[in-house]
Amino acid sequence: MIVAIDGPAGVGKSTVARFVADRFGFFNLNSGSFYRAVSLRALEKGIGADDQAELTELAGSLDLDIKEGRLHLDGADVEDKLRSDAIESMVPTVSACVPVRRIVNDHIRRITAGMDVVAEGRDMTSVVFPHGEVKLFLDASPMARAERRFRQGTSELSLEEIARSIEERDKIDRNKEEGSLKITEEAEYLDTSDLTLEEVCEKVSGKIKEYIVDPGE
Ligand code: DC
Protein backbone atom coordinates (compact mmCIF):
# COMPACT_ATOMS: atom_id res chain seq x y z
CA MET A 1 0.00 0.00 0.00
CA ILE A 2 1.29 3.45 -0.89
CA VAL A 3 0.54 6.57 1.13
CA ALA A 4 1.73 9.63 -0.81
CA ILE A 5 1.94 12.99 0.95
CA ASP A 6 2.80 16.30 -0.67
CA GLY A 7 2.92 19.82 0.67
CA PRO A 8 5.01 22.97 0.92
CA ALA A 9 8.15 23.53 2.98
CA GLY A 10 7.68 23.68 6.74
CA VAL A 11 4.22 22.12 6.86
CA GLY A 12 5.43 19.22 9.02
CA LYS A 13 5.25 16.48 6.35
CA SER A 14 8.44 14.73 7.47
CA THR A 15 7.34 14.50 11.09
CA VAL A 16 3.86 13.33 10.15
CA ALA A 17 5.15 10.79 7.59
CA ARG A 18 7.67 9.35 10.09
CA PHE A 19 5.06 9.04 12.82
CA VAL A 20 2.45 7.46 10.59
CA ALA A 21 4.96 5.07 8.97
CA ASP A 22 6.07 3.91 12.44
CA ARG A 23 2.49 3.49 13.58
CA PHE A 24 1.51 1.27 10.66
CA GLY A 25 4.91 -0.42 10.23
CA PHE A 26 5.34 1.10 6.75
CA PHE A 27 8.60 2.16 5.10
CA ASN A 28 9.15 5.91 5.43
CA LEU A 29 10.54 7.69 2.39
CA ASN A 30 11.58 11.34 2.54
CA SER A 31 12.13 12.27 -1.12
CA GLY A 32 13.77 15.64 -0.34
CA SER A 33 16.73 13.79 1.22
CA PHE A 34 17.63 12.39 -2.24
CA TYR A 35 17.94 15.89 -3.73
CA ARG A 36 19.93 16.89 -0.66
CA ALA A 37 22.33 13.94 -1.15
CA VAL A 38 22.90 14.87 -4.82
CA SER A 39 23.57 18.46 -3.66
CA LEU A 40 26.00 17.23 -1.01
CA ARG A 41 28.10 15.32 -3.54
CA ALA A 42 27.91 18.22 -6.04
CA LEU A 43 29.25 20.58 -3.36
CA GLU A 44 32.06 18.16 -2.54
CA LYS A 45 32.99 17.93 -6.22
CA GLY A 46 32.68 21.66 -6.86
CA ILE A 47 29.83 21.24 -9.35
CA GLY A 48 27.68 24.37 -9.65
CA ALA A 49 23.92 24.23 -9.05
CA ASP A 50 23.33 25.59 -12.56
CA ASP A 51 25.52 23.05 -14.37
CA GLN A 52 22.74 20.73 -15.49
CA ALA A 53 24.94 18.44 -17.60
CA GLU A 54 27.43 17.81 -14.79
CA LEU A 55 24.64 17.44 -12.21
CA THR A 56 22.88 14.88 -14.38
CA GLU A 57 26.04 12.87 -14.92
CA LEU A 58 26.78 13.01 -11.21
CA ALA A 59 23.26 11.97 -10.17
CA GLY A 60 23.38 9.03 -12.58
CA SER A 61 26.63 7.80 -11.04
CA LEU A 62 25.46 7.80 -7.41
CA ASP A 63 24.40 4.84 -5.33
CA LEU A 64 21.42 6.18 -3.35
CA ASP A 65 19.64 4.07 -0.77
CA ILE A 66 17.76 4.23 2.52
CA LYS A 67 18.81 1.98 5.39
CA GLU A 68 17.11 2.13 8.77
CA GLY A 69 15.42 5.36 7.75
CA ARG A 70 18.69 7.08 6.87
CA LEU A 71 19.94 8.19 3.48
CA HIS A 72 23.03 6.32 2.30
CA LEU A 73 25.18 7.80 -0.43
CA ASP A 74 27.64 5.41 -2.11
CA GLY A 75 27.33 3.13 0.91
CA ALA A 76 27.91 5.79 3.61
CA ASP A 77 25.27 7.16 6.00
CA VAL A 78 25.10 10.90 5.14
CA GLU A 79 21.79 11.69 6.88
CA ASP A 80 23.41 14.08 9.36
CA LYS A 81 25.09 16.08 6.57
CA LEU A 82 21.96 16.86 4.60
CA ARG A 83 20.70 19.98 6.35
CA SER A 84 23.64 22.39 6.27
CA ASP A 85 23.16 25.98 5.10
CA ALA A 86 25.19 25.24 1.96
CA ILE A 87 22.80 22.42 1.02
CA GLU A 88 19.74 24.49 1.91
CA SER A 89 20.79 27.09 -0.62
CA MET A 90 21.82 24.61 -3.34
CA VAL A 91 19.00 22.07 -3.21
CA PRO A 92 16.18 24.21 -4.70
CA THR A 93 18.16 24.59 -7.95
CA VAL A 94 19.39 20.98 -7.99
CA SER A 95 15.84 19.70 -7.49
CA ALA A 96 14.63 21.87 -10.39
CA CYS A 97 16.90 19.97 -12.83
CA VAL A 98 14.54 17.69 -14.79
CA PRO A 99 17.00 14.85 -15.61
CA VAL A 100 18.06 14.76 -11.95
CA ARG A 101 14.40 14.43 -10.95
CA ARG A 102 13.94 11.46 -13.26
CA ILE A 103 17.01 9.72 -11.81
CA VAL A 104 15.84 10.37 -8.23
CA ASN A 105 12.34 9.11 -9.05
CA ASP A 106 13.75 5.89 -10.52
CA HIS A 107 15.66 5.32 -7.26
CA ILE A 108 12.55 6.00 -5.20
CA ARG A 109 10.42 3.56 -7.20
CA ARG A 110 13.16 0.91 -7.07
CA ILE A 111 13.70 1.23 -3.31
CA THR A 112 10.00 1.08 -2.48
CA ALA A 113 8.99 -1.60 -4.99
CA GLY A 114 6.55 -4.06 -3.41
CA MET A 115 6.61 -2.32 0.00
CA ASP A 116 4.05 -0.62 2.17
CA VAL A 117 5.33 2.94 2.12
CA VAL A 118 4.64 6.46 3.32
CA ALA A 119 6.38 8.75 0.82
CA GLU A 120 6.49 12.51 1.24
CA GLY A 121 7.69 15.40 -0.87
CA ARG A 122 6.40 17.71 -3.59
CA ASP A 123 5.46 15.36 -6.43
CA MET A 124 4.64 12.08 -4.69
CA THR A 125 0.90 12.30 -5.46
CA SER A 126 1.30 13.82 -8.93
CA VAL A 127 4.34 12.18 -10.57
CA VAL A 128 5.90 9.37 -8.55
CA PHE A 129 2.89 7.57 -7.06
CA PRO A 130 -0.23 8.85 -8.86
CA HIS A 131 -1.65 5.32 -8.34
CA GLY A 132 -1.06 5.51 -4.53
CA GLU A 133 -3.94 4.20 -2.42
CA VAL A 134 -3.98 7.20 -0.05
CA LYS A 135 -2.94 10.59 -1.46
CA LEU A 136 -2.88 13.71 0.67
CA PHE A 137 -1.85 17.32 0.25
CA LEU A 138 -0.94 18.92 3.58
CA ASP A 139 -1.07 22.70 3.54
CA ALA A 140 -0.78 25.58 6.00
CA SER A 141 -0.53 29.32 5.54
CA PRO A 142 3.00 30.75 5.21
CA MET A 143 2.57 32.49 8.59
CA ALA A 144 1.42 29.29 10.35
CA ARG A 145 4.45 27.45 8.92
CA ALA A 146 6.79 30.30 9.88
CA GLU A 147 5.43 30.26 13.45
CA ARG A 148 6.01 26.49 13.72
CA ARG A 149 9.60 26.90 12.53
CA PHE A 150 10.15 29.93 14.76
CA ARG A 151 8.93 28.00 17.81
CA GLN A 152 11.41 25.19 17.06
CA GLY A 153 14.09 27.76 17.97
CA THR A 154 16.60 26.40 15.44
CA SER A 155 16.74 29.51 13.25
CA GLU A 156 18.53 32.79 13.86
CA LEU A 157 15.96 34.60 11.70
CA SER A 158 13.02 36.71 12.91
CA LEU A 159 9.48 35.45 12.41
CA GLU A 160 8.99 37.88 9.50
CA GLU A 161 12.26 36.76 7.85
CA ILE A 162 11.29 33.10 8.19
CA ALA A 163 7.88 33.84 6.64
CA ARG A 164 9.55 35.63 3.71
CA SER A 165 11.99 32.78 3.08
CA ILE A 166 9.11 30.27 3.21
CA GLU A 167 7.22 32.28 0.59
CA GLU A 168 10.32 32.34 -1.62
CA ARG A 169 10.70 28.56 -1.34
CA ASP A 170 7.01 28.14 -2.20
CA LYS A 171 7.51 30.18 -5.36
CA ILE A 172 10.44 27.99 -6.47
CA ASP A 173 8.59 24.77 -5.63
CA ARG A 174 5.46 25.85 -7.54
CA ASN A 175 7.32 26.95 -10.66
CA LYS A 176 9.46 23.90 -11.36
CA GLU A 177 9.36 22.77 -14.99
CA GLU A 178 8.60 19.22 -13.86
CA GLY A 179 7.52 17.84 -10.49
CA SER A 180 6.27 21.21 -9.28
CA LEU A 181 4.26 21.40 -6.09
CA LYS A 182 0.61 21.24 -7.05
CA ILE A 183 -2.67 20.06 -5.63
CA THR A 184 -3.93 17.25 -7.84
CA GLU A 185 -7.60 16.37 -8.05
CA GLU A 186 -6.85 12.90 -6.72
CA ALA A 187 -5.15 14.12 -3.56
CA GLU A 188 -7.21 15.01 -0.53
CA TYR A 189 -6.47 18.56 0.64
CA LEU A 190 -5.89 19.10 4.34
CA ASP A 191 -5.39 22.62 5.69
CA THR A 192 -3.38 22.16 8.90
CA SER A 193 -2.97 25.86 9.81
CA ASP A 194 -5.07 25.48 12.95
CA LEU A 195 -4.10 21.90 13.85
CA THR A 196 -1.33 20.59 16.09
CA LEU A 197 1.06 18.03 14.63
CA GLU A 198 -0.61 15.37 16.77
CA GLU A 199 -3.98 16.27 15.26
CA VAL A 200 -2.54 16.07 11.75
CA CYS A 201 -1.06 12.63 12.52
CA GLU A 202 -4.45 11.46 13.76
CA LYS A 203 -6.21 12.71 10.61
CA VAL A 204 -3.68 11.07 8.30
CA SER A 205 -3.84 7.82 10.30
CA GLY A 206 -7.62 8.00 10.01
CA LYS A 207 -7.40 8.17 6.21
CA ILE A 208 -5.15 5.10 6.14
CA LYS A 209 -7.47 3.17 8.45
CA GLU A 210 -10.46 4.15 6.30
CA TYR A 211 -8.68 2.72 3.27
CA ILE A 212 -7.65 -0.47 5.06
CA VAL A 213 -11.23 -1.09 6.27
CA ASP A 214 -12.79 -0.22 2.92
CA PRO A 215 -10.40 -0.14 -0.06
CA GLY A 216 -13.39 0.72 -2.25
CA GLU A 217 -12.36 -1.65 -5.02
O1 DC B 1 11.43 18.48 1.79
P1 DC B 1 12.85 19.04 1.79
O2 DC B 1 12.99 20.40 2.41
O3 DC B 1 13.86 18.10 2.36
O4 DC B 1 13.21 19.22 0.25
C1 DC B 1 14.48 19.65 -0.17
C2 DC B 1 14.35 20.32 -1.54
O5 DC B 1 13.99 19.37 -2.53
C3 DC B 1 13.36 21.47 -1.63
O6 DC B 1 13.96 22.50 -2.40
C4 DC B 1 12.19 20.87 -2.37
C5 DC B 1 12.81 19.79 -3.21
N1 DC B 1 11.97 18.62 -3.39
C6 DC B 1 11.43 18.40 -4.63
O7 DC B 1 11.62 19.21 -5.54
N2 DC B 1 10.67 17.30 -4.85
C7 DC B 1 10.44 16.43 -3.87
N3 DC B 1 9.70 15.36 -4.12
C8 DC B 1 10.99 16.64 -2.58
C9 DC B 1 11.75 17.76 -2.37
Short mmCIF file of all heavy atoms in Angstrom, two decimals, residues 16-26 118 198-206 208-209:
data_model
loop_
_atom_site.label_atom_id
_atom_site.label_comp_id
_atom_site.label_asym_id
_atom_site.label_seq_id
_atom_site.Cartn_x
_atom_site.Cartn_y
_atom_site.Cartn_z
N VAL A 16 5.11 14.08 10.26
CA VAL A 16 3.86 13.33 10.15
C VAL A 16 4.12 11.99 9.45
O VAL A 16 3.66 10.94 9.92
CB VAL A 16 2.81 14.16 9.36
CG1 VAL A 16 1.58 13.33 9.05
CG2 VAL A 16 2.44 15.42 10.14
N ALA A 17 4.89 12.03 8.35
CA ALA A 17 5.15 10.79 7.59
C ALA A 17 5.90 9.78 8.46
O ALA A 17 5.58 8.59 8.46
CB ALA A 17 5.95 11.10 6.33
N ARG A 18 6.88 10.26 9.23
CA ARG A 18 7.67 9.35 10.09
C ARG A 18 6.77 8.71 11.14
O ARG A 18 6.80 7.50 11.36
CB ARG A 18 8.80 10.13 10.75
CG ARG A 18 9.97 9.26 11.15
CD ARG A 18 11.12 10.05 11.78
NE ARG A 18 11.49 11.24 11.07
CZ ARG A 18 11.39 12.49 11.55
NH1 ARG A 18 10.90 12.70 12.76
NH2 ARG A 18 11.78 13.53 10.84
N PHE A 19 5.95 9.54 11.76
CA PHE A 19 5.06 9.04 12.82
C PHE A 19 4.09 7.99 12.26
O PHE A 19 3.92 6.91 12.84
CB PHE A 19 4.28 10.21 13.43
CG PHE A 19 3.29 9.79 14.47
CD1 PHE A 19 3.67 9.67 15.80
CD2 PHE A 19 1.98 9.49 14.12
CE1 PHE A 19 2.75 9.26 16.76
CE2 PHE A 19 1.06 9.08 15.08
CZ PHE A 19 1.44 8.97 16.40
N VAL A 20 3.48 8.34 11.15
CA VAL A 20 2.45 7.46 10.59
C VAL A 20 3.09 6.15 10.08
O VAL A 20 2.54 5.07 10.26
CB VAL A 20 1.68 8.20 9.45
CG1 VAL A 20 0.79 7.25 8.71
CG2 VAL A 20 0.89 9.35 10.04
N ALA A 21 4.27 6.27 9.46
CA ALA A 21 4.96 5.07 8.97
C ALA A 21 5.28 4.14 10.14
O ALA A 21 5.05 2.93 10.07
CB ALA A 21 6.24 5.45 8.22
N ASP A 22 5.77 4.72 11.24
CA ASP A 22 6.07 3.91 12.44
C ASP A 22 4.81 3.23 12.96
O ASP A 22 4.81 2.05 13.31
CB ASP A 22 6.61 4.80 13.57
CG ASP A 22 8.09 5.04 13.40
OD1 ASP A 22 8.67 4.46 12.47
OD2 ASP A 22 8.66 5.83 14.19
N ARG A 23 3.74 3.99 13.03
CA ARG A 23 2.49 3.49 13.58
C ARG A 23 1.96 2.29 12.82
O ARG A 23 1.46 1.33 13.40
CB ARG A 23 1.46 4.61 13.57
CG ARG A 23 0.18 4.26 14.20
CD ARG A 23 -0.70 5.49 14.21
NE ARG A 23 -1.62 5.48 15.30
CZ ARG A 23 -2.38 6.51 15.63
NH1 ARG A 23 -2.32 7.63 14.98
NH2 ARG A 23 -3.22 6.43 16.63
N PHE A 24 2.07 2.35 11.48
CA PHE A 24 1.51 1.27 10.66
C PHE A 24 2.57 0.25 10.24
O PHE A 24 2.25 -0.72 9.54
CB PHE A 24 0.81 1.85 9.43
CG PHE A 24 -0.47 2.57 9.76
CD1 PHE A 24 -0.47 3.91 10.10
CD2 PHE A 24 -1.68 1.88 9.76
CE1 PHE A 24 -1.65 4.57 10.43
CE2 PHE A 24 -2.87 2.53 10.09
CZ PHE A 24 -2.85 3.88 10.43
N GLY A 25 3.83 0.50 10.62
CA GLY A 25 4.91 -0.42 10.23
C GLY A 25 5.24 -0.31 8.74
O GLY A 25 5.66 -1.28 8.12
N PHE A 26 5.03 0.88 8.16
CA PHE A 26 5.34 1.10 6.75
C PHE A 26 6.75 1.69 6.62
O PHE A 26 7.29 2.28 7.55
CB PHE A 26 4.35 2.10 6.12
CG PHE A 26 2.96 1.56 5.89
CD1 PHE A 26 2.54 0.35 6.44
CD2 PHE A 26 2.05 2.26 5.11
CE1 PHE A 26 1.25 -0.14 6.23
CE2 PHE A 26 0.76 1.79 4.89
CZ PHE A 26 0.36 0.59 5.45
N VAL A 118 5.13 5.08 3.18
CA VAL A 118 4.64 6.46 3.32
C VAL A 118 5.71 7.33 2.68
O VAL A 118 6.85 7.39 3.17
CB VAL A 118 4.45 6.88 4.79
CG1 VAL A 118 3.93 8.32 4.86
CG2 VAL A 118 3.49 5.93 5.52
N GLU A 198 0.05 16.60 16.31
CA GLU A 198 -0.61 15.37 16.77
C GLU A 198 -1.96 15.21 16.06
O GLU A 198 -2.33 14.12 15.64
CB GLU A 198 -0.85 15.40 18.29
CG GLU A 198 0.40 15.31 19.15
CD GLU A 198 1.25 16.59 19.12
OE1 GLU A 198 0.69 17.68 18.87
OE2 GLU A 198 2.47 16.50 19.32
N GLU A 199 -2.67 16.33 15.93
CA GLU A 199 -3.98 16.27 15.26
C GLU A 199 -3.83 15.90 13.78
O GLU A 199 -4.64 15.14 13.24
CB GLU A 199 -4.72 17.62 15.41
CG GLU A 199 -5.23 17.85 16.83
CD GLU A 199 -5.71 19.28 17.08
OE1 GLU A 199 -5.22 20.23 16.44
OE2 GLU A 199 -6.59 19.45 17.94
N VAL A 200 -2.78 16.42 13.16
CA VAL A 200 -2.54 16.07 11.75
C VAL A 200 -2.23 14.58 11.63
O VAL A 200 -2.78 13.88 10.76
CB VAL A 200 -1.39 16.92 11.15
CG1 VAL A 200 -1.18 16.54 9.68
CG2 VAL A 200 -1.66 18.41 11.28
N CYS A 201 -1.39 14.07 12.54
CA CYS A 201 -1.06 12.63 12.52
C CYS A 201 -2.32 11.79 12.66
O CYS A 201 -2.48 10.76 11.97
CB CYS A 201 -0.07 12.28 13.64
SG CYS A 201 1.58 12.94 13.38
N GLU A 202 -3.21 12.21 13.55
CA GLU A 202 -4.45 11.46 13.76
C GLU A 202 -5.30 11.47 12.49
O GLU A 202 -5.87 10.45 12.10
CB GLU A 202 -5.26 12.06 14.92
CG GLU A 202 -4.75 11.67 16.29
CD GLU A 202 -4.46 10.17 16.42
OE1 GLU A 202 -5.34 9.36 16.07
OE2 GLU A 202 -3.35 9.82 16.85
N LYS A 203 -5.38 12.62 11.83
CA LYS A 203 -6.21 12.71 10.61
C LYS A 203 -5.64 11.83 9.51
O LYS A 203 -6.38 11.12 8.83
CB LYS A 203 -6.27 14.17 10.13
CG LYS A 203 -7.27 15.01 10.92
CD LYS A 203 -7.64 16.26 10.15
CE LYS A 203 -8.57 17.14 10.98
NZ LYS A 203 -9.95 16.70 10.97
N VAL A 204 -4.31 11.87 9.35
CA VAL A 204 -3.68 11.07 8.30
C VAL A 204 -3.85 9.58 8.62
O VAL A 204 -4.20 8.77 7.75
CB VAL A 204 -2.19 11.45 8.13
CG1 VAL A 204 -1.50 10.53 7.15
CG2 VAL A 204 -2.06 12.91 7.67
N SER A 205 -3.64 9.23 9.90
CA SER A 205 -3.84 7.82 10.30
C SER A 205 -5.27 7.39 10.00
O SER A 205 -5.51 6.26 9.54
CB SER A 205 -3.58 7.65 11.81
OG SER A 205 -2.26 7.98 12.12
N GLY A 206 -6.21 8.30 10.26
CA GLY A 206 -7.62 8.00 10.01
C GLY A 206 -7.87 7.68 8.54
O GLY A 206 -8.61 6.75 8.22
N ILE A 208 -5.74 6.42 6.44
CA ILE A 208 -5.15 5.10 6.14
C ILE A 208 -6.07 3.99 6.66
O ILE A 208 -6.35 3.02 5.96
CB ILE A 208 -3.73 4.99 6.74
CG1 ILE A 208 -2.82 6.04 6.11
CG2 ILE A 208 -3.16 3.59 6.55
CD1 ILE A 208 -1.46 6.18 6.75
N LYS A 209 -6.57 4.20 7.88
CA LYS A 209 -7.47 3.17 8.45
C LYS A 209 -8.72 3.04 7.60
O LYS A 209 -9.18 1.93 7.33
CB LYS A 209 -7.86 3.57 9.89
CG LYS A 209 -6.77 3.26 10.89
CD LYS A 209 -7.27 3.57 12.30
CE LYS A 209 -6.12 3.82 13.24
NZ LYS A 209 -6.45 4.70 14.35
#
